[in-house]
């Protein structure tokens, strides 16, 4: 058997990581400003994380959601006050796509409606409903194209209000900082107007915080910069620092019903141990504050570079986009193969920085020097 070849790969075999550095099988060190696609929140191989996961694995790795799991209860109690949603309810799953699937399902259960409004350039996952609300026809199979969704421009409120006023809208789903869409940021005026319109017309507002949340923006959630309080929040990626996990934070306006949602692996003992370890480190090392401070510093340093190949630097915290005049591969490939530095990308010309939240100013300076050599 061979692998189903769907990933265009860089010819690098990463075998070890620590903090914001990774090493390949030849011993070459790399600076990681990609974080495995925003997944590594507290840094690679954090000692506390390793200890807590190993400790749990030595006792029990998994049992199903047919029995009490006090680690789930502990995670909910810890997460609520830390993220500012102590009155919300927590449903645990395995990935971001699953989080959005369940959020959209809950919205439809509550409203009885089937229409969804999503953003142009949105990305919400690759499974059934999640891919249907993703604005990329290339990855939507005919079976997923069920005509539930209308894509509308970010930060242009009027068409959203017009669509909502027609009725029949179950949910509005929004990335407050678009990731795949190129680090495009919702404005407070747009977000607040949209939240009001959802309330007025009876639609559920879902904030997809899978990439931009969990401290990456310099607040726990990116929407907290915008002065809104969504009905449902979806998270994944950084929640467990690489262990597969996702979650849905659900308003108290939603009444749970036995059997309405379910999962085999979601919220298992090992995943909860990983997620609790992440919260420990985020609090102890003040990583949300660090993301804000170092992210602001890094953007200032990037904006200070005078180079015609740089059109714009935008973002918040440690979610940064460098909009280039040239295709991003002309910069990204030499960064990897010559400067030994990982970054992400978006579209054809945007370099995307998604480092672990523990990135230091010294490591930010290191990236700037590497970037200057290839730009």
């Amino acid at each position: 058997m061979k692998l189903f070849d769907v990933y265009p790969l860089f010819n690098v075999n990463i075998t070890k990581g620590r903090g914001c550095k990774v090493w390949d099988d030849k011993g070459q060190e790399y600076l990681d400003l990609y974080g495995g696609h925003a997944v590594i929140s507290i840094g690679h191989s954090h000692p506390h994380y390793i200890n807590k996961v190993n400790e749990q694995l030595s006792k029990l790795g998994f049992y199903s959601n047919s029995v009490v799991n006090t680690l789930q209860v502990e995670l909910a109690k810890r997460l609520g006050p830390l993220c500012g949603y102590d009155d919300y309810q927590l449903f645990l799953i395995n990935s971001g796509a699953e989080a959005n699937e369940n959020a959209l399902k809950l919205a439809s259960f509550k409203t009885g409606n089937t229409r969804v409004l999503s953003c142009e350039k949105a990305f919400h996952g690759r499974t059934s409903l999640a891919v249907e609300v993703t604005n990329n026809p290339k990855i939507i199979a005919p079976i997923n194209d069920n005509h539930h969704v209308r894509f509308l421009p970010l930060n242009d409120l009027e068409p959203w209000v017009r669509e909502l006023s027609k009725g029949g809208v179950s949910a509005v789903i929004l990335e407050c900082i678009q990731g795949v869409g190129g680090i495009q940021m919702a404005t407070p005026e747009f977000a607040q107007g949209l939240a009001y319109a959802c309330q007025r017309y009876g639609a559920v507002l879902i904030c997809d915080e899978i990439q931009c949340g969990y401290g990456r923006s310099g607040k726990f959630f990116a929407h907290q910069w915008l002065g809104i309080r969504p009905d449902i929040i979806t998270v994944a990626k950084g929640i467990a620092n690489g262990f597969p996990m996702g979650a849905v934070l659900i308003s108290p306006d939603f009444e749970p019903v036995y059997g309405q949602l379910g999962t085999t692996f979601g919220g298992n003992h090992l995943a909860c141990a990983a997620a609790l370890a992440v919260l420990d480190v985020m609090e102890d090392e003040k990583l949300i504050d660090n993301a804000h401070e170092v992210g602001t510093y890094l953007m200032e340093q990037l904006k200070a570079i005078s180079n015609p190949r740089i059109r714009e630097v935008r973002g918040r915290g440690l979610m940064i986009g460098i909009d280039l005049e040239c295709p991003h591969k002309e910069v990204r490939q030499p960064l990897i193969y010559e400067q030994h530095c990982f970054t992400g990308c978006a579209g054809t010309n945007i370099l995307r920085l998604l480092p672990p939240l523990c990135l230091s100013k010294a490591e930010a300076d290191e990236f700037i020097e590497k970037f200057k050599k290839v730009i």
Side-chain angles (χ1 to χ4, degrees):
M1 186 182 292
K2 64 178 182 179
L3 296 176
F4 194 55
D5 190 11
V6 293
Y7 300 116
L9 302 175
F10 291 109
N11 189 27
V12 180
N13 178 20
I14 297 300
T15 59
K16 186 176 74 169
R18 179 70 102 183
C20 293
K21 300 290 179 70
V22 293
W23 288 262
D24 67 18
D25 55 354
K26 299 177 179 62
Q28 176 63 55
E29 180 184 285
Y30 296 78
L31 178 64
D32 186 10
L33 268 80
Y34 187 44
H37 204 73
V39 166
I40 301 301
S41 48
I42 62 171
H44 294 280
S45 302
H46 194 287
H48 179 73
Y49 177 86
I50 292 170
N51 289 340
K52 286 297 184 180
V53 171
N54 282 340
E55 181 183 295
Q56 181 59 46
L57 186 58
S58 70
K59 294 186 291 185
L60 179 70
F62 173 83
Y63 206 80
S64 74
N65 286 304
S66 60
V67 298
V68 171
N69 182 345
T70 57
L71 291 172
Q72 292 184 1
V73 177
E74 184 183 353
L75 179 57
K77 286 181 177 178
R78 289 277 308 280
L79 180 59
L82 184 60
C83 74
Y85 284 90
D86 202 19
D87 58 332
Y88 275 42
Q89 304 162 91
L90 184 66
F91 180 67
L92 298 168
I93 56 278
N94 310 287
S95 69
E98 275 183 82
N100 285 333
E101 291 283 341
N102 284 283
L104 291 162
K105 186 177 180 181
L106 281 173
S108 187
F109 270 132
K110 184 170 180 62
T111 64
N113 294 326
T114 58
R115 296 180 64 216
V116 181
L117 304 183
S118 184
C119 276
E120 293 173 359
K121 299 185 178 181
F123 185 93
H124 298 290
R126 294 175 182 269
T127 54
S128 180
L129 285 170
V131 80
E132 192 177 356
V133 296
T134 291
N135 191 203
N136 182 356
K138 292 180 180 179
I139 63 171
I140 300 175
I143 199 170
N144 304 127
D145 190 8
N146 295 309
H147 311 291
H148 294 129
V149 186
R150 181 73 185 273
F151 295 102
L152 300 170
L154 182 68
N155 294 330
D156 183 2
L157 183 61
E158 192 275 331
W160 296 78
V161 175
R162 186 170 62 245
E163 286 296 322
L164 284 162
S165 69
K166 293 176 183 177
V169 175
S170 165
V172 169
I173 187 165
L174 174 69
E175 300 164 276
C176 292
I177 306 175
Q178 291 186 324
V180 173
I183 317 297
Q184 304 293 340
M185 301 167 64
T187 64
E189 297 78 14
F190 170 75
Q192 290 169 27
L194 185 59
Y196 174 78
C198 286
Q199 186 176 29
R200 178 180 178 185
Y201 293 109
V204 172
L205 178 60
I206 302 168
C207 277
D208 177 340
E209 294 272 356
I210 289 160
Q211 186 169 145
C212 60
Y214 242 81
R216 182 155 297 281
S217 74
K219 290 186 183 288
F220 201 96
F221 292 126
H223 71 258
Q224 290 168 329
W225 292 101
L226 305 178
I228 61 172
R229 195 171 175 85
D231 302 298
I232 297 178
I233 305 160
T234 56
V235 297
K237 293 196 184 293
I239 188 173
N241 203 52
F243 196 96
M245 194 179 201
V248 188
L249 282 65
I250 305 159
S251 159
D253 293 337
F254 289 76
E255 188 73 27
V257 177
Y258 283 153
Q260 188 180 58
L261 305 179
T263 170
T264 298
F265 296 108
N268 67 72
H269 296 73
L270 202 54
C272 287
L276 285 164
V278 166
L279 292 184
D280 290 342
V281 176
M282 286 179 70
E283 288 188 282
D284 292 348
E285 299 184 8
K286 298 180 172 55
L287 292 187
I288 297 176
D289 291 340
N290 188 73
H292 178 60
E293 181 182 346
V294 177
T296 300
Y297 173 79
L298 180 53
M299 278 197 286
E300 287 172 351
Q301 299 305 304
L302 286 166
K303 289 177 179 179
I305 299 172
S306 179
N307 190 298
R309 298 179 84 187
I310 302 174
R311 290 194 293 209
E312 184 184 8
V313 176
R314 56 180 177 264
R316 199 184 287 278
L318 288 173
M319 186 170 180
I320 300 171
I322 307 170
D323 198 336
L324 302 168
E325 284 286 353
C326 61
H328 58 67
K329 66 181 181 181
E330 294 183 13
V331 175
R332 193 180 182 208
Q333 290 196 2
L335 271 173
I336 292 172
Y337 293 119
E338 297 170 18
Q339 298 302 316
H340 307 115
C341 177
F342 281 102
T343 63
C345 62
T348 57
N349 65 318
I350 296 167
L351 210 62
R352 197 164 23 143
L353 307 184
L354 305 164
L357 306 187
C358 58
L359 187 78
S360 67
K361 287 186 177 178
E363 288 165 331
D365 288 338
E366 184 182 348
F367 170 73
I368 292 294
E369 291 309 307
K370 291 175 182 294
F371 180 64
K372 284 179 177 177
K373 289 176 182 176
V374 300
I375 193 66

